[in-house]
Amino acid sequence: MALTLQTVVDGENFYSCNFPEISATSDQSYISFNLLVDGTTALSTRYYTVGGKITVRNLASCIEQAMEQNYKVYSAVQILLTAGSQTSSAMCHVLLCKSKCLTNPVADFIANSFLTTNTHRLITMHGQDVLSFYIAGSGNYAVASFKFNCIARKPDGSIGQYEYVSGRRFGYGVTSVAISATEQQAVCQSQFGAGTQLLSFTLTFNNRVCHFYLVPCPDAKIFRFKNIFGCEEAVAFPATTIAHLETDYSEAMVGGKLLHYDVKHARSYEVQTASLLAHHMTWLEQFLTSSDIHLKMPGGMYASVLIKEYEFAHTDAPGEENTLNFTWIFSDQRETPHRYTYNVGIFTEQFNDIFA
């Protein structure tokens, strides 16, 4: 009996969550199994045949782990089998996707969609966002043309609409584009004059479309996180934050005095968001369960944080409120959200003269 790989893998594309079980037959007592992700061995083992057959299941987690360790989103995966002097191999491509939420063929999805499940996004007046996508080809770089279709309220109260195209250079493969609400507002005012308010804009790149709606909120907590595709996304919460400080210590009596030792201070931050849309709640499941979350700090830098606990109330009933309450902590316990200055401006304008 020749060594035969029975599962159809060669030349196919898979979402990682749907990677199939691998079956092979041989007249040998065992088959050596090797799984390579982008040329690097992710699994190498030996399986003994039962009735001349082996079946290898649950390879998704192994592939996802290898891709995440190497910051890959779309990878070449090779199955290599050896039994005695016979070999059999198959090559396929895998798009990292941890949830079974897509029915589109992989090739169609990466060619026509941004690597996100949220294409109707809320963004604050000074917010930033990022969209990832895949560009097929080879070479040094590709030139991509993005079309922006914008809607704004003019100073006289009327609604105006305009379009413009922006060309940018990107490397081939998985890449991303940064979106700045401040830059879009500046373009808007250059079109209709000072005092114009940008309401929404739609970004189109080939067949890929994403809609942005501006939230009239001057300030918000901005987080970045890795989504189910392993790509970075941003989310801004107009929210209320409560800071909690807890102290843990041991006590000892030394020289007649009670002292504390092994003192540990723990800072946590509880966030209560405003009401959210139902489809945003579905998307935010990826935020809460992400293994890589960062908070935008004063000055524009990002600090690594962990979601400690959360209350997630999601309903699809019309008119019902969707709420999210979560507590986060800094990965670096020495980090703080405060940046102190000598000019803190603690008094409001009407008291400045009195307490100057």
Side-chain angles (χ1 to χ4, degrees):
M1 181 190 302
L3 174 62
T4 304
L5 176 60
Q6 295 186 313
T7 307
V8 178
V9 174
D10 204 38
E12 296 293 324
N13 285 274
F14 300 99
Y15 296 107
S16 61
C17 59
N18 288 328
F19 196 81
E21 61 183 35
I22 301 299
S23 296
T25 58
S26 173
D27 56 4
Q28 301 293 314
S29 60
Y30 65 85
I31 298 175
S32 296
F33 182 93
N34 288 276
L35 174 70
L36 290 81
V37 179
D38 290 323
T40 301
T41 301
L43 176 64
S44 181
T45 189
R46 174 184 293 180
Y47 293 106
Y48 288 88
T49 58
V50 177
K53 182 178 180 180
I54 66 166
T55 300
V56 185
R57 300 182 174 90
N58 301 324
L59 289 173
S61 58
C62 185
I63 294 172
E64 289 170 351
Q65 183 179 20
M67 294 177 69
E68 288 182 313
Q69 287 177 347
N70 293 288
Y71 305 101
K72 297 292 186 179
V73 175
Y74 187 58
S75 293
V77 174
Q78 183 180 14
I79 304 294
L80 180 60
L81 306 177
T82 304
S85 60
Q86 298 177 333
T87 61
S88 179
S89 66
M91 179 74 75
C92 63
H93 283 82
V94 173
L95 176 66
L96 182 64
C97 182
K98 295 184 176 181
S99 298
K100 295 182 178 180
C101 58
L102 297 171
T103 57
N104 308 49
V106 176
D108 176 66
F109 178 76
I110 63 174
N112 298 293
S113 303
F114 290 108
L115 295 174
T116 178
T117 60
N118 180 21
T119 56
H120 291 77
R121 311 167 82 90
L122 301 179
I123 186 170
T124 58
M125 294 169 56
H126 305 292
Q128 296 178 333
D129 210 333
V130 61
L131 285 174
S132 297
F133 53 95
Y134 179 81
I135 298 181
S138 60
N140 294 328
Y141 63 87
V143 177
S145 294
F146 296 93
K147 184 174 74 172
F148 291 86
N149 188 314
C150 309
I151 299 175
R153 179 178 288 112
K154 300 178 183 180
D156 62 4
S158 64
I159 301 299
Q161 183 172 335
Y162 62 93
E163 293 183 357
Y164 73 95
V165 176
S166 174
R168 309 184 191 184
R169 295 199 312 179
F170 296 93
Y172 288 101
V174 176
T175 186
S176 61
V177 58
I179 308 297
S180 168
T182 302
E183 291 180 4
Q184 293 301 317
Q185 182 71 20
V187 175
C188 176
Q189 294 190 355
S190 70
Q191 292 281 335
F192 298 123
T196 304
Q197 180 186 2
L198 181 64
L199 301 177
S200 66
F201 59 93
T202 299
L203 170 62
T204 304
F205 170 50
N206 294 342
N207 295 325
R208 303 172 178 89
V209 180
C210 190
H211 306 276
F212 295 85
Y213 305 94
L214 268 74
V215 179
C217 175
D219 190 24
K221 288 287 186 295
I222 299 176
F223 293 87
R224 286 193 173 186
F225 66 97
K226 291 289 183 68
N227 63 16
I228 58 173
F229 304 107
C231 296
E232 193 173 72
E233 292 199 65
V235 58
F237 291 110
T240 301
T241 300
I242 301 175
H244 297 277
L245 178 62
E246 299 176 352
T247 303
D248 186 27
Y249 57 85
S250 299
E251 292 182 343
M253 186 69 71
V254 180
K257 293 184 178 180
L258 185 64
L259 299 177
H260 291 167
Y261 66 96
D262 289 340
V263 180
K264 297 179 181 178
H265 302 292
R267 300 174 178 85
S268 61
Y269 304 89
E270 182 181 355
V271 176
Q272 176 64 61
T273 71
S275 298
L276 299 170
L277 300 175
H279 88 275
H280 283 142
M281 291 291 285
T282 302
W283 171 61
L284 287 173
E285 290 183 21
Q286 299 174 38
F287 165 71
L288 295 173
T289 57
S290 176
S291 59
D292 189 346
I293 306 174
H294 289 76
L295 170 69
K296 187 177 182 181
M297 303 292 290
M301 300 297 289
Y302 283 84
S304 175
V305 301
L306 302 172
I307 302 296
K308 189 175 180 181
E309 56 187 24
Y310 54 84
E311 294 180 6
F312 183 84
H314 179 200
T315 175
D316 59 1
E320 292 296 322
E321 184 178 21
N322 288 278
T323 59
L324 175 61
N325 180 294
F326 64 95
T327 301
W328 60 269
I329 60 174
F330 284 107
S331 299
D332 179 359
Q333 286 296 288
R334 293 181 181 272
E335 184 61 87
T336 169
H338 310 298
R339 293 296 184 268
Y340 297 102
T341 66
Y342 290 104
N343 182 18
V344 295
I346 64 173
F347 299 112
T348 54
E349 185 176 351
Q350 61 266 36
F351 297 109
N352 283 343
D353 293 337
I354 298 174
F355 295 103

